[in-house]
């Protein structure tokens, strides 16, 4: 899948490390703030969520992610680099499905830009989740 | 005139496919009428419509080979 924002399956430590290493190359950065979203084993009607199958509209994901990143750079001038990865396909409970890393000259803008980025991703990125329960049934999150 | 229609999320259950082609449908209004008649379950869901990856809020006139997508509420993260 040729989409720099999507990752097939769970987001593993290797990917997180690789992205963080790239951000660390800039010696004018004062802080890196990150969000790692995980799949919870919520209980729904006495049944446990065992995995989520994420689906996406990849071309629109790419366009919207680029818009969000541009808006964040425009608003938070101290932000130097933003990386975003979202899972598609199956992610099991306890595994990670969203990684957002924001590097800035100073912590205050890094934290603010991170929170706003995650909120915009949740509101505007065309991704859907089908939650599979431990009895084999499923539901779509709306 | 031919258009491509993509379905996502819960809407794939309502229409039992994720893509189809239609001919001689000229607007969002007309597309909805046609789809709701063919798949009544679809009318029970909320969704937005994009044309060539851009969300269109009102009615919209299609062109040949447009890619239309029916997008239920996003649930990323």
């Amino acid at each position: 899948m040729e989409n720099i924002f999507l990752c097939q399956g769970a987001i593993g430590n290797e990917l997180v490390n690789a992205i963080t290493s790239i951000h660390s190359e800039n010696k004018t950065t004062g802080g890196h703030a990150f969000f790692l979203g995980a799949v919870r084993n919520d209980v729904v009607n006495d049944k446990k969520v065992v995995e989520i199958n994420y689906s996406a509209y990849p071309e629109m994901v790419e366009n919207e992610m680029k818009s969000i990143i541009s808006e964040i750079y425009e608003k938070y001038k101290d932000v130097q680099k933003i990386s975003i990865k979202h899972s598609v396909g199956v992610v099991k409970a306890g595994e990670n499905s969203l990684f957002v890393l924001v590097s800035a000259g100073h912590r205050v803008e890094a934290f603010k830009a991170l929170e706003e980025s995650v909120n915009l991703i949740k509101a505007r990125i065309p991704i859907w989740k089908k939650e599979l329960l431990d009895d084999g049934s499923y539901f779509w999150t709306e | 005139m031919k258009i491509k229609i993509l379905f996502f999320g819960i809407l794939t259950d309502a229409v039992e496919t994720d893509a189809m082609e239609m001919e001689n449908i000229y607007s969002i209004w007309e597309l909805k009428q046609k789809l709701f008649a063919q798949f009544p379950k679809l009318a029970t869901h909320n969704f937005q419509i994009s044309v060539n990856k851009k969300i269109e809020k009102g009615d919209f006139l299609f062109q040949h080979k447009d890619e239309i997508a029916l997008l239920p509420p996003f649930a990323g993260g």
Side-chain angles (χ1 to χ4, degrees), chain A residues 34-55:
Chain A
F34 75 89
F35 177 79
L36 202 48
V39 172
R40 278 188 312 263
N41 64 347
D42 282 344
V43 175
V44 183
N45 298 330
D46 298 327
K47 291 167 248 171
K48 252 186 196 171
V49 172
V50 290
E51 65 185 38
I52 293 180
N53 194 342
Y54 290 93
S55 50

Side-chain angles (χ1 to χ4, degrees), chain B residues 30-50:
Chain B
E30 204 180 335
L31 175 67
K32 281 185 176 174
Q33 301 305 309
K34 180 95 177 172
L35 288 172
F36 290 166
Q38 205 175 337
F39 308 101
K41 270 194 219 162
L42 201 56
T44 65
H45 296 288
N46 290 324
F47 58 85
Q48 303 185 86
I49 291 185
S50 68

Side-chain angles (χ1 to χ4, degrees), chain A residues 54-57 59-60 63 86 97-98 122-129 138 140-142, chain B residues 6 8-10 12-13 45-46 50 52-55 67 69 71-77:
Chain A
Y54 290 93
S55 50
Y57 187 2
E59 300 90 339
M60 206 170 152
N63 294 344
H86 198 300
S97 58
L98 172 62
K122 288 203 157 255
R124 287 177 27 196
I125 298 301
I127 286 181
W128 298 274
K129 46 189 177 190
Y138 70 85
W140 291 94
T141 307
E142 281 197 281
Chain B
L6 305 176
F8 291 96
I10 197 166
T12 58
D13 285 357
H45 296 288
N46 290 324
S50 68
N52 302 324
K53 290 112 191 161
K54 187 173 169 287
I55 291 172
E67 181 178 283
L71 312 168
F74 305 150

